[in-house]
Amino acid sequence: MNMAAKEILQGMIECGIEVAASVPCVNLSALLTNLDASPIRHIAVSREEEGVGLCAGAYLGGAKSALIMQNSGLGNSINALASLDLLYGIPLLMIMSHRGVENESVCAQIPMGKLTIPLLNDLAIPYIELEAGGDGLHTIEDAWRLAEERQRPSAVLIKPSYWRGDR
């Protein structure tokens, strides 16, 4: 496993995350590949809002949960986040690859890349950006602490440079 993915996964394990729902993303592939070999129960979902519901159910059943997705999935999940997690005070760790930034080569990713932070701000969802040289383990721990303290989702936005950074 590459070191960047290892840091993220170790942070999830140390936070006590027991269930992780995911939607595939090329930037998250190393993390997703190794999630199944971890103690975390990994459930692939077809849409991000399905992951929000699954994670809310896991939380109500007593399990800490995370949703792993590309930032474009934030747009798909806004209603579920607002009418479920935010309404009922459900903590959720959202681990998002932040596409559409840092000289993105796929033009379709750029609009959501620009809108991700404003949308998180509008939803009052705290976020931490993780880029090259960042500490994935402690960033995950800090984001989970925010989610638990505030009883709401929090997000880690992982920039492409984090995955390319020297470890």
Side-chain angles (χ1 to χ4, degrees), residues 115-131:
L115 291 170
T116 298
I117 290 174
L119 287 171
L120 289 169
N121 286 333
D122 286 346
L123 292 165
I125 293 176
Y127 64 90
I128 302 170
E129 295 179 273
L130 181 57
E131 54 195 344

Side-chain angles (χ1 to χ4, degrees), residues 55-142:
C55 289
Y59 171 77
L60 294 172
K64 296 177 180 182
S65 61
L67 176 57
I68 304 169
M69 64 182 177
Q70 188 172 292
N71 62 304
S72 61
L74 178 63
N76 295 337
S77 60
I78 286 176
N79 184 53
L81 288 166
S83 62
L84 188 58
D85 293 56
L86 294 172
L87 179 63
Y88 294 105
I90 298 173
L92 171 64
L93 174 62
M94 295 188 299
I95 300 171
M96 291 190 267
S97 63
H98 196 177
R99 298 288 308 266
V101 297
E102 295 182 347
N103 301 311
E104 174 69 53
S105 62
V106 179
C107 65
Q109 299 288 354
I110 294 170
M112 197 60 195
K114 292 178 182 177
L115 291 170
T116 298
I117 290 174
L119 287 171
L120 289 169
N121 286 333
D122 286 346
L123 292 165
I125 293 176
Y127 64 90
I128 302 170
E129 295 179 273
L130 181 57
E131 54 195 344
D135 182 339
L137 188 150
H138 291 107
T139 299
I140 294 295
E141 290 176 333
D142 291 344

Side-chain angles (χ1 to χ4, degrees), residues 12 16 20 23 25 29 42 45 47 49 51-52 67 70 77 79 89 94-95 101 118 127 137 147 157:
M12 293 171 66
V23 180
C25 170
S29 61
H42 177 216
V45 295
R47 294 189 51 86
E49 60 267 36
V52 171
L67 176 57
Q70 188 172 292
S77 60
N79 184 53
M94 295 188 299
I95 300 171
V101 297
Y127 64 90
L137 188 150
L157 297 175

